[in-house]
């Protein structure tokens, strides 16, 4: 390679090297996005829990749930937590909570200002007989919507407010079996979790 060509090449790289870096980053990002879309976990293999309080040991919670529900094909566990005493609590509850959580844990003091029928499924007699016979329920307009949580059961994983808290099955969940918008009886992971934690 002659000196003129070397100078031109060096001069070229001096001005366009950022374009090569940006191109590489765009290609890597595009491949990552395509991989995530193609290999996205089905909704019924994931479980999201909205916690009104603080998740103190998310790692143990995830490991225990993955072991407990491996026969249900559970592959991913995530939590959304919000302190009920903070100003952004309602925003976290209504945006990520309502749209993506399978189970919502809400203290009774916050339920006074919420319309449970907006986000929670109606716990009909058939469902109560199959899963929650003898449990304590949260009622609104004479309809059962929530199951009282046993705080001792979840104490290793989370810290909840010092009042009664109830678990609600989100009507948008894919994990509520035949009660889901797209019902598949076998995809009832959230129903079993609430049964395990309820009282």
């Amino acid at each position: 390679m002659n000196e003129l060509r070397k100078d031109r090449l060096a001069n070229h790289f001096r001005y366009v090297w950022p374009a090569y870096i940006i191109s590489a980053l765009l290609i890597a990002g595009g491949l990552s996005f395509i991989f995530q879309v193609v290999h996205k976990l089905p909704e019924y293999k994931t479980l999201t829990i909205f916690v009104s309080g603080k998740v103190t040991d998310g790692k143990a919670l995830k490991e225990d749930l993955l072991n407990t529900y491996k026969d249900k094909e559970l592959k991913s566990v995530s939590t959304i937590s919000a302190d009920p005493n903070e100003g952004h609590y309602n925003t976290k509850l209504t945006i990520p909570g309502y749209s993506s959580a399978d189970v919502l844990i809400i203290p009774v003091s916050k339920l006074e200002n919420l319309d449970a029928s907006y986000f929670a499924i109606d716990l009909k007699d058939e469902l109560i007989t199959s899963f929650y016979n003898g449990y304590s329920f949260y009622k609104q307009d004479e309809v059962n919507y929530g199951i009282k949580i046993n705080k001792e059961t979840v104490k290793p994983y989370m810290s909840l407010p010092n009042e009664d808290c109830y678990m609600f099955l989100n009507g948008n969940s894919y994990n509520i079996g035949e009660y889901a918008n797209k019902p598949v009886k076998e995809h009832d992971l959230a129903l079993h979790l609430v049964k395990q934690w309820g009282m």
Side-chain angles (χ1 to χ4, degrees):
M1 187 180 290
N2 64 30
E3 288 300 316
L4 182 59
R5 194 173 281 179
K6 282 183 184 177
D7 287 344
R8 283 183 181 167
L9 199 57
N11 195 30
H12 172 76
F13 278 116
R14 186 177 318 151
Y15 293 106
V16 297
W17 67 266
Y20 287 105
I21 292 174
I22 291 169
S23 297
L25 291 173
L26 287 174
I27 291 169
L31 290 173
S32 174
F33 175 76
I34 290 168
F35 182 80
Q36 287 176 359
V37 169
V38 171
H39 296 287
K40 185 180 178 190
L41 276 175
E43 296 286 346
Y44 70 91
K45 292 186 179 184
T46 67
L47 184 67
T48 303
I49 305 162
F50 179 87
V51 178
S52 295
K54 184 178 180 186
V55 176
T56 54
D57 196 343
K59 185 178 177 186
L61 173 64
K62 181 178 180 177
E63 288 173 2
D64 289 351
L65 290 179
L66 289 174
N67 286 330
T68 302
Y69 297 110
K70 60 185 169 190
D71 62 322
K72 295 276 182 194
E73 300 182 74
L74 180 61
K75 302 291 183 201
S76 172
V77 176
S78 61
T79 57
I80 303 163
S81 60
D83 185 341
N85 297 317
E86 291 184 1
H88 65 275
Y89 174 80
N90 285 335
T91 304
K92 270 193 143 177
L93 174 63
T94 55
I95 298 174
Y98 289 178
S99 64
S100 61
D102 298 291
V103 176
L104 299 105
I105 303 170
I106 306 174
V108 72
S109 61
K110 292 293 180 181
L111 292 169
E112 296 165 3
N113 300 319
L114 297 176
D115 181 0
S117 66
Y118 181 74
F119 61 91
I121 66 167
D122 174 355
L123 302 175
K124 299 189 183 299
D125 291 340
E126 174 194 341
L127 178 57
I128 291 171
T129 303
S130 300
F131 284 91
Y132 312 119
N133 213 7
Y135 285 49
S136 298
F137 300 100
Y138 174 78
K139 284 189 178 191
Q140 201 172 72
D141 299 325
E142 299 303 313
V143 176
N144 293 316
Y145 287 109
I147 294 107
K148 189 175 180 181
I149 193 167
N150 184 342
K151 291 184 182 179
E152 288 302 311
T153 304
V154 298
K155 194 175 184 180
Y157 316 118
M158 60 188 74
S159 173
L160 298 174
N162 191 21
E163 59 181 300
D164 287 342
C165 295
Y166 290 86
M167 294 176 288
F168 296 85
L169 294 159
N170 192 339
N172 293 323
S173 173
Y174 287 83
N175 291 313
I176 53 177
E178 58 193 287
Y179 305 97
N181 292 332
K182 295 181 180 176
V184 178
K185 189 174 183 180
E186 294 75 23
H187 301 165
D188 58 357
L189 181 58
L191 301 179
H192 288 280
L193 176 71
V194 170
K195 182 177 183 178
Q196 179 188 347
W197 287 358
M199 62 182 296

